[in-house]
Amino acid sequence: MCVLASASGPGVAAARGQFRLTLLEAVGDWLRQDPALVVYMAGHITSSLGWYQTRYLNTPCLPQALLPALVQGQCPDMALWLSTGLRCALPEGGHDVMRGEEVQLLGLLQLAPELRHGRRLVCLPGTHTKWVWLEDGQIRHFRTSMTGELYALLTQHSVLLQQAENLGEFCTESFIRGCQQMRGTAGLHWLHQLFTVRTEQLFSGLTPPQASAYLSGILVGADVQGWQVNEPCAGADCDVVLAGNSQLNFCYREALQLAGFRVQTFDITDATLAGFGWLAREQRKSGVVAVPVVADGSCQVG
């Protein structure tokens, strides 16, 4: 499967109440070419914040279990199918959830069949970074870090960066310095380390672009160190499978290698398309019939 085109929208939170129109703006050209278009959706669009709220599958489970759990949305413009999310019980107690990443994990297993054997750690960096343990292709458990969301909040709504817009080229040296700040016992007091983003600008000449990269390094470094310290399954011989966009892959690879891990990287778009592609092909093979396209009417929110 290849990408013919892509479109960006306002995101689930901003599109609330406008889901159908937002989707039509994104796929309208394709729909006019093929009225029998089938659309697959995953992520927050299937959450309590989204269009349809689908259930959570419990882990451990195989990602292929997403196929029989697909939910059919009621939309007159197109055939609409939505993925379910995943829920896990953590070894120390408590729970974690994901929506959207389950399709990406399914895609990774298609791109790299060797991941279906043995124990593997997968890191999916982003707004809500996921650290996922696979065992013989099964999703055992996972943890969420709010790394990307915290970075956005701190750059937009804190005193740490006064010039958050148009920061220019990413400063790798400052990022690595931020990661290094989180190594050892100093990293345990990461709330203090965050404030050094401001003091380094005041007294050490750190420019806003350098400070932005330094902040990113602190957060990514804290994420990696926190996983190392708190994950019962972590070990010195653990390899990490990393799947993000090019910038996130670079940042997490640097932080992980600094911590002594070997890293294998994949492009998250490739993984996402491979996951959706598998669902579409297997659903056709299973004989599930798409809903007929209706000329008019409104989508029902379920």
Side-chain angles (χ1 to χ4, degrees), residues 5 47 64 135 139 198 225 299:
S47 74
Q64 291 85 340
E135 289 186 10
I139 299 170
R198 176 159 172 75
Q225 190 196 44
C299 295

Side-chain angles (χ1 to χ4, degrees), residues 27 65 68 72 86 105-107 140 195-196 200 209 214 216 243 256 267 300:
V27 304
Q72 183 177 325
L86 297 184
L105 291 166
L106 175 62
R140 300 297 299 180
F195 196 68
T196 66
E200 287 295 297
Y214 177 66
S216 180
L256 285 162
D267 180 80
Q300 302 172 9

Side-chain angles (χ1 to χ4, degrees), residues 91-106:
E92 71 277 12
H95 297 86
D96 211 322
V97 296
M98 68 168 60
R99 286 192 181 274
E101 293 89 357
E102 70 283 346
V103 174
Q104 296 165 347
L105 291 166
L106 175 62

Side-chain angles (χ1 to χ4, degrees), residues 88-98 101 121-124 128-133 139-146 223 226-234:
C88 78
L90 294 171
E92 71 277 12
H95 297 86
D96 211 322
V97 296
M98 68 168 60
E101 293 89 357
L121 174 69
V122 179
C123 177
L124 304 171
H128 298 149
T129 296
K130 305 293 182 182
W131 297 86
V132 186
W133 280 105
I139 299 170
R140 300 297 299 180
H141 73 267
F142 53 88
R143 300 176 190 275
T144 301
S145 300
M146 295 180 62
D223 192 7
W227 165 75
Q228 280 184 279
V229 171
N230 295 300
E231 176 52 67
C233 297

Side-chain angles (χ1 to χ4, degrees), residues 161-167 201 205-214:
L161 282 168
Q162 297 301 300
Q163 302 178 42
E165 300 296 328
N166 302 317
L167 289 172
Q201 292 174 88
L206 212 64
T207 66
Q210 290 171 332
S212 172
Y214 177 66

Side-chain angles (χ1 to χ4, degrees), residues 119-123 131-134 227 238-242:
R119 173 179 286 179
R120 308 283 182 158
L121 174 69
V122 179
C123 177
W131 297 86
V132 186
W133 280 105
L134 298 178
W227 165 75
C238 178
D239 293 346
V240 180
V241 177
L242 186 60

Side-chain angles (χ1 to χ4, degrees), residues 32-224:
R32 282 184 284 274
Q33 296 175 36
D34 181 8
L37 181 72
V38 180
V39 173
Y40 293 84
M41 306 182 79
H44 278 175
I45 195 68
T46 70
S47 74
S48 58
L49 302 175
W51 193 354
Y52 292 88
Q53 186 174 358
T54 62
R55 65 191 178 101
Y56 291 105
L57 295 181
N58 290 319
T59 60
C61 71
L62 290 167
Q64 291 85 340
L66 297 175
L67 179 62
L70 283 172
V71 173
Q72 183 177 325
Q74 300 302 309
C75 184
D77 307 287
M78 66 199 77
L80 186 63
W81 294 93
L82 302 102
S83 173
T84 187
L86 297 184
R87 170 187 175 185
C88 78
L90 294 171
E92 71 277 12
H95 297 86
D96 211 322
V97 296
M98 68 168 60
R99 286 192 181 274
E101 293 89 357
E102 70 283 346
V103 174
Q104 296 165 347
L105 291 166
L106 175 62
L108 278 175
L109 295 179
Q110 313 313 308
L111 295 176
E114 67 273 13
L115 300 182
R116 303 173 193 174
H117 307 289
R119 173 179 286 179
R120 308 283 182 158
L121 174 69
V122 179
C123 177
L124 304 171
T127 303
H128 298 149
T129 296
K130 305 293 182 182
W131 297 86
V132 186
W133 280 105
L134 298 178
E135 289 186 10
D136 295 327
Q138 273 197 334
I139 299 170
R140 300 297 299 180
H141 73 267
F142 53 88
R143 300 176 190 275
T144 301
S145 300
M146 295 180 62
T147 323
E149 184 169 355
L150 186 56
Y151 174 82
L153 289 170
L154 290 172
T155 55
Q156 297 169 21
H157 302 289
S158 80
V159 301
L160 297 183
L161 282 168
Q162 297 301 300
Q163 302 178 42
E165 300 296 328
N166 302 317
L167 289 172
E169 187 175 349
F170 184 78
C171 180
T172 299
E173 182 180 351
S174 296
F175 172 81
I176 293 175
R177 184 180 165 212
C179 289
Q180 290 171 332
Q181 287 289 100
M182 306 311 295
R183 304 302 304 160
T185 57
L188 298 177
H189 199 180
W190 64 272
L191 289 174
H192 162 68
Q193 297 295 348
L194 285 176
F195 196 68
T196 66
V197 176
R198 176 159 172 75
T199 56
E200 287 295 297
Q201 292 174 88
L202 291 174
F203 304 116
S204 299
L206 212 64
T207 66
Q210 290 171 332
S212 172
Y214 177 66
L215 171 61
S216 180
I218 287 175
L219 292 173
V220 173
D223 192 7
V224 170

